[in-house]
Amino acid sequence: RSPMRLGLLGVATLLLPAAMGGELSFLAIGDYGCDPRAHPFGYKTLYDNGQQMGTVAERYNSSFVLAIGDNFYQNGVQSPSSKQWEQVMGKFSAKSLQVPFYAVMGNHDWRGKPEAQVQRHYQERRQLGAQARWTMPHYWYTVRHEVEDQDVLLVFLDTPILAPEETEQSARDNLPGFEQRLNQLAWL
């Protein structure tokens, strides 16, 4: 039996080994940062997805959301206070989605000012304290969750840095150099 069960809408429940007991329910979303210039109904679709995610998060009592990249199309975000934050994150307004969004970068995120997503993490904590949702303290990081007195370690990597040859040219031009790749590998 596999330790992870996936369902509709990117719902996942991490089933811990019987000796540990418990479960950890969360949602995952990727390639969601719409650009209305390219997709006129993008924000409506994102809103609809946010509503459905809210319903599912409530049903499964989800603890967090994994934002697995391409958080902002087409060219990332330019600042930690850009209007894109509300345009995208504001669509996840359900009470059940007022949980951490553990984010990593995608290739489209690297087209903008990627440091803005890290800066947003710290800005939200200064302004909102425990109510902060956007979680990206660095381009790679870990988070621990306790389930039934056991630690579950979540490891977040920046794969465009690790495999720049797989990232399209326009994003690759903005990626940190080889040193950052080595730093991430050494950290791991």
Side-chain angles (χ1 to χ4, degrees):
R1 185 165 135 164
S2 172
M4 187 175 286
R5 179 181 66 207
L6 297 177
L8 297 174
L9 292 174
V11 176
T13 300
L14 180 61
L15 300 175
L16 303 174
M20 291 176 68
E23 66 182 40
L24 182 61
S25 179
F26 57 92
L27 301 175
I29 187 168
D31 290 307
Y32 64 98
C34 58
D35 179 355
R37 294 167 296 183
H39 305 285
F41 301 106
Y43 288 136
K44 169 72 170 112
T45 301
L46 184 59
Y47 173 81
D48 291 344
N49 286 340
Q51 294 299 300
Q52 291 301 313
M53 286 176 65
T55 299
V56 172
E58 184 175 349
R59 179 177 179 191
Y60 290 98
N61 194 29
S62 296
S63 298
F64 54 87
V65 175
L66 299 179
I68 57 175
D70 288 349
N71 308 310
F72 299 96
Y73 276 110
Q74 286 292 334
N75 297 307
V77 69
Q78 297 302 309
S79 80
S81 55
S82 167
K83 67 180 182 175
Q84 290 171 281
W85 288 99
E86 182 56 34
Q87 290 171 333
V88 172
M89 293 300 293
K91 304 303 185 264
F92 303 105
S93 59
K95 184 178 179 182
S96 59
L97 294 176
Q98 302 311 301
V99 296
F101 274 62
Y102 298 130
V104 295
M105 303 289 279
N107 64 318
H108 286 273
D109 298 308
W110 276 102
R111 291 180 183 175
K113 293 189 174 165
E115 66 276 6
Q117 292 190 43
V118 174
Q119 291 166 350
R120 178 67 179 215
H121 166 90
Y122 295 102
Q123 176 181 305
E124 281 195 12
R125 271 139 195 84
R126 281 191 307 274
Q127 294 174 350
L128 303 172
Q131 303 302 314
R133 292 194 300 164
W134 188 258
T135 304
M136 186 191 285
H138 197 289
Y139 300 120
W140 55 88
Y141 60 99
T142 61
V143 172
R144 291 186 186 278
H145 273 270
E146 188 174 304
V147 179
E148 305 279 332
D149 295 326
Q150 298 292 322
D151 276 344
V152 175
L153 179 66
L154 304 172
V155 179
F156 298 90
L157 302 174
D158 191 325
T159 55
I161 288 177
L162 289 177
E165 61 278 356
E166 300 298 323
T167 302
E168 60 196 71
Q169 185 65 41
S170 60
R172 193 169 50 236
D173 290 343
N174 203 23
L175 284 173
F178 186 69
E179 183 178 335
Q180 282 285 58
R181 183 189 305 178
L182 291 178
N183 289 342
Q184 186 172 191
L185 289 171
W187 171 85
L188 185 60

